[in-house]
Amino acid sequence: MSKQRVLSGIQTTGNLHLGNYLGAIRNWVEIQQDYDNFFFFADLHAITVPHDAKVLAANTFNLAAIYLACGIDLNCSTIFVQSHVSAHSELAWLLNCVTPLNWLERMIQFKEKAVKQGENVGVGLLDYPVLMAADILLYDADKVPVGEDQKQHLELTRDIAGRVNDQFGKKKQPVLKVPEPMIRKEGARVMSLADGTKKMSKSDPSELSRIDLLDPPDAITRKIKKCKTDPVKGLAFDDPERPECHNLLTLYQLLGNKTKQEVAAECQDMGWGQFKPLLTETAVEALKPIQVKYNELMDNQDYLNSVLRDGAAKASSVANQTLVRVKDAMGFLPPM
Ligand code: AMP
Ligand code: TRP
């Protein structure tokens, strides 16, 4: 039996933080051997809010190095840049024409991000989930590993695929494969260091709210020293009154590769003064090998370029077949 297909991506907007790593990339690395994987750099999504043309290319390239540094294995995974495969934009247009506007107006992420853009919110931001549906559906993905925050977009993708199949599938033959979300419980939502009820985010204006994957040890030390805690002694998971405590214990658990039970037992009598240095050391040690590998890769840009070239070629050959299938089902005149 051939392996199931997994697909996922991350926007190319600046540095990645622990939320991206623990909520996304690390899970991909853990499961990749069991699947046929496509992981990409969502640069077309990165321009749905005002962007800086001077850094887009560099951000995309750095992200490629980060994927590999985190352990993406090219023997079972293809990595590529979204904008290098033109089928993404083209399928997004086709899907736009079958997607009801009110499905998009309901999207929580749109509503949240639109408020921040005020009067100048672009059409692309509203259309973001349709492009994401195109990303997924082009590869006939079986499973899409994402963080909790992307669940609604995956439900929309399933709805769009269902609608295309209803409207254009012939004799019960679906045109598009309906994908399944793959969402981990632990680490699915890493919270801000400054507020345990808010998710850790690239767009938070305070750098102290997040730990970036490329943060040097002194930055990690400073951020954990300053992070929000509570006055209670004895640390425990799952107390709704102590969101920061739950979040920091979860980070300690995931970065230290421990079980929840182990951490609960180890930390039940600790105070913050004892716990914070432990968490700091664990975070520094967990990120060190990624940072070493990242620097090696950045010194070898020709290699990275060749990986991206091969990735785009492989992705295009899969994506273009799906695009032809959809255009055919929708009744377009094929090119002569
Ligand atoms: P983004 O940075 O929004 O492109 O997100 C890239 C991936 O990281 C997606 O799969 C998100 O669900 C995941 N992600 C982003 N922020 C967090 C967070 N705070 N906790 C867990 N996962 C996250
Ligand atoms: N929207 C996703 C995020 O912010 C990134 C993304 C774009 C994605 N296209 C995708 C994730 C397709 C999974 C599948 O995290």
Side-chain angles (χ1 to χ4, degrees), residues 32-335:
Q32 64 183 336
Q33 305 298 338
D34 296 331
Y35 296 93
D36 169 29
N37 313 278
F38 285 82
F39 298 122
F40 68 98
F41 316 110
D43 54 350
L44 297 171
H45 280 106
I47 65 164
T48 55
V49 293
H51 80 284
D52 182 353
K54 290 197 277 304
V55 297
L56 182 62
N59 283 344
T60 306
F61 195 77
N62 297 351
L63 191 55
I66 291 206
Y67 274 38
L68 294 180
C70 287
I72 295 293
D73 176 357
L74 297 173
N75 289 314
C76 53
S77 302
T78 302
I79 66 171
F80 66 97
V81 179
Q82 187 185 29
S83 68
H84 293 177
V85 182
S86 58
H88 289 245
S89 307
E90 196 172 346
L91 183 62
W93 176 256
L94 302 179
L95 299 181
N96 274 333
C97 298
V98 301
T99 305
L101 179 60
N102 65 24
W103 287 10
L104 300 181
E105 287 168 337
R106 259 189 246 139
M107 293 292 116
I108 297 162
Q109 192 177 80
F110 171 70
K111 289 195 259 184
E112 284 174 2
K113 288 193 183 174
V115 178
K116 292 188 198 147
Q117 305 298 321
E119 296 256 303
N120 282 324
V121 50
V123 177
L125 191 63
L126 179 69
D127 205 27
Y128 178 117
V130 178
L131 177 61
M132 180 161 163
D135 299 336
I136 297 167
L137 299 172
L138 276 174
Y139 297 87
D140 292 323
D142 296 286
K143 301 247 161 70
V144 184
V146 282
E148 184 72 38
D149 60 332
Q150 296 299 313
K151 197 168 163 208
Q152 197 186 29
H153 291 159
L154 280 192
E155 278 156 12
L156 182 89
T157 301
R158 291 167 55 87
D159 289 343
I160 292 175
R163 201 163 158 99
V164 169
N165 291 340
D166 285 345
Q167 290 186 4
F168 304 108
K170 291 190 196 98
K171 298 198 208 98
K172 302 239 155 56
Q173 270 290 28
V175 185
L176 293 169
K177 176 170 257 175
V178 182
E180 298 284 337
M182 198 180 205
I183 296 172
R184 279 277 200 97
K185 277 244 157 324
E186 275 152 10
R189 247 172 110 78
V190 174
M191 309 313 276
S192 158
L193 295 184
D195 177 349
T197 62
K198 268 178 34 191
K199 110 180 163 154
M200 187 176 283
S201 158
K202 286 176 196 165
S203 57
D204 193 311
S206 168
E207 292 212 346
L208 289 176
S209 70
R210 62 182 163 263
I211 294 178
D212 287 334
L213 284 188
L214 300 178
D215 272 346
D218 61 330
I220 298 175
T221 307
R222 185 166 45 89
K223 288 175 177 181
I224 293 179
K225 204 174 261 171
K226 296 207 167 146
C227 77
K228 185 171 175 204
T229 55
D230 56 34
V232 186
K233 189 161 158 61
L235 309 180
F237 285 101
D238 298 314
D239 182 342
E241 306 284 305
R242 305 180 72 191
E244 287 81 19
C245 185
H246 179 81
N247 187 46
L248 295 170
L249 287 181
T250 304
L251 288 180
Y252 181 56
Q253 175 200 332
L254 295 172
L255 293 170
N257 293 313
K258 302 189 179 200
T259 66
K260 191 171 171 180
Q261 289 72 16
E262 279 166 358
V263 172
E266 184 185 347
C267 302
Q268 60 183 345
D269 299 320
M270 274 186 201
W272 291 111
Q274 196 183 352
F275 176 75
K276 280 188 171 188
L278 267 184
L279 176 61
T280 304
E281 192 191 316
T282 304
V284 168
E285 284 307 310
L287 297 185
K288 196 196 279 166
I290 295 175
Q291 298 178 354
V292 169
K293 189 88 209 290
Y294 174 84
N295 289 325
E296 277 169 26
L297 286 159
M298 291 303 283
D299 285 339
N300 195 350
Q301 307 227 342
D302 289 345
Y303 169 71
L304 264 180
N305 283 328
S306 76
V307 169
L308 292 180
R309 201 177 316 117
D310 294 350
K314 178 141 181 243
S316 294
S317 76
V318 175
N320 288 338
Q321 287 177 35
T322 309
L323 187 61
V324 167
R325 199 169 77 222
V326 176
K327 286 171 96 174
D328 178 55
M330 288 177 82
F332 284 91
L333 178 68

